[in-house]
Amino acid sequence: MSEVYQKLQVCLESVRAKTDFQPEIALILGSGLGDYADEIDIEQTIDYTEIQGFPTSTVAGHKGRFVFGRVQGVPVVIMQGRVHYYEGYPMSDVVLPTRLMGLMGAKKLVLTNAAGGINPGFQPGCFMLLTDHITTGVPSPLIGPNPDELGPRFPDMSEVYSHRMRSVVKDAAAELNIPLHEGVYVQLTGPAYETPAEIRMCRAWGGDAVGMSTACEALAAKHMGLEICGISCITNMAAGMSGKPLDHKEVQETADRVAVQFKQLITAVIGRI
Ligand code: HPA
């Protein structure tokens, strides 16, 4: 058994000692969305600190727990607070919670985040449906001995974000009258925001938004065969695009301002996928 899979089994046993909840959908909440998990029909919660070997989140404003419950009757497991690479964990630990939700039984993954807008057609407060991602700026979570129990050594990444789920998200957004852009998410390490030169590079690469999470989780989830969709809240225009310095407070304020719409969209999406 690979080391990664062994560690996951220890975590899974910790979870299974507390609940036999079978989620259909896994949801990871980004900045500003954290309290979504408090508003659902909760069946049980497990703090990350209660799970043996689990990387525990350190970022202010990120709670660290799994919430098990129902959204529109659908059984979901929610990560209220994610683990970021810039916290200092190896990539295999950053994606451990995602893989764990897969092993709990989730077949679908809904990813959310706050991101900086690179596409000049975006404005702070708008949403972007991920069509694809670029992980070139971070180490792959699949580096190292392949956990064959989870997926193949050389997984295909030609459709990480499922066409089917993307059309569900687009339909839900249209019905709710929520404008939704589409684009490519670039993950960089953070924790510093990018320089204007780095943003020009991301743009030349074909990126529309930039952030410090998500793509590595999508990669690990795709490796194990989950169906994935991702939605970014564009909280600010990326460095050098607005003439203003970047500030975590602005990111949080924008995310909070549009949180109600974002939550409506997530609920509608979960009900339909
Ligand atoms: N860059 C990276 N991550 C982010 C940004 C940004 O501009 N905004 C929110 N998360």
Side-chain angles (χ1 to χ4, degrees), residues 40-143:
I40 71 155
D41 191 1
I42 297 179
E43 273 185 32
Q44 189 155 1
T45 64
I46 301 179
D47 286 353
Y48 297 156
T49 51
E50 295 177 68
I51 303 171
Q52 206 189 327
F54 199 91
T56 39
S57 181
T58 55
V59 188
H62 289 269
K63 270 192 206 168
R65 60 179 191 166
F66 283 120
V67 174
F68 301 90
R70 273 162 215 282
V71 174
Q72 311 262 54
V74 181
V76 296
V77 54
I78 301 179
M79 275 186 80
Q80 197 173 24
R82 59 154 50 95
V83 182
H84 298 87
Y85 183 58
Y86 60 72
E87 293 174 73
Y89 299 104
M91 261 302 178
S92 56
D93 275 357
V94 174
V95 302
L96 179 144
T98 305
R99 286 170 157 165
L100 186 56
M101 294 191 292
L103 293 181
M104 288 177 204
K107 297 279 180 281
K108 295 170 190 140
L109 173 64
V110 178
L111 291 161
T112 65
N113 61 45
I118 299 175
N119 186 320
F122 294 177
Q123 319 78 37
C126 75
F127 299 106
M128 183 189 88
L129 177 64
L130 275 66
T131 55
D132 205 344
H133 70 212
I134 296 171
T135 60
T136 312
V138 290
S140 167
L142 305 187
I143 289 173

Side-chain angles (χ1 to χ4, degrees), residues 196-262:
E198 285 163 344
I199 293 304
R200 289 194 296 275
M201 174 193 76
C202 292
R203 211 164 142 186
W205 278 358
D208 295 290
V210 62
M212 307 174 191
S213 67
T214 304
C216 59
E217 297 156 347
L219 200 161
K222 183 69 184 173
H223 175 240
M224 63 190 297
L226 270 68
E227 194 183 3
I228 303 159
C229 71
I231 309 169
S232 292
C233 172
I234 305 299
T235 50
N236 56 284
M237 291 313 285
M241 296 194 60
S242 71
K244 276 197 310 182
L246 268 62
D247 175 6
H248 185 58
K249 234 177 95 193
E250 183 197 351
V251 168
Q252 279 183 321
E253 279 168 7
T254 310
D256 290 344
R257 174 163 65 79
V258 296
V260 171
Q261 265 192 329
F262 207 172

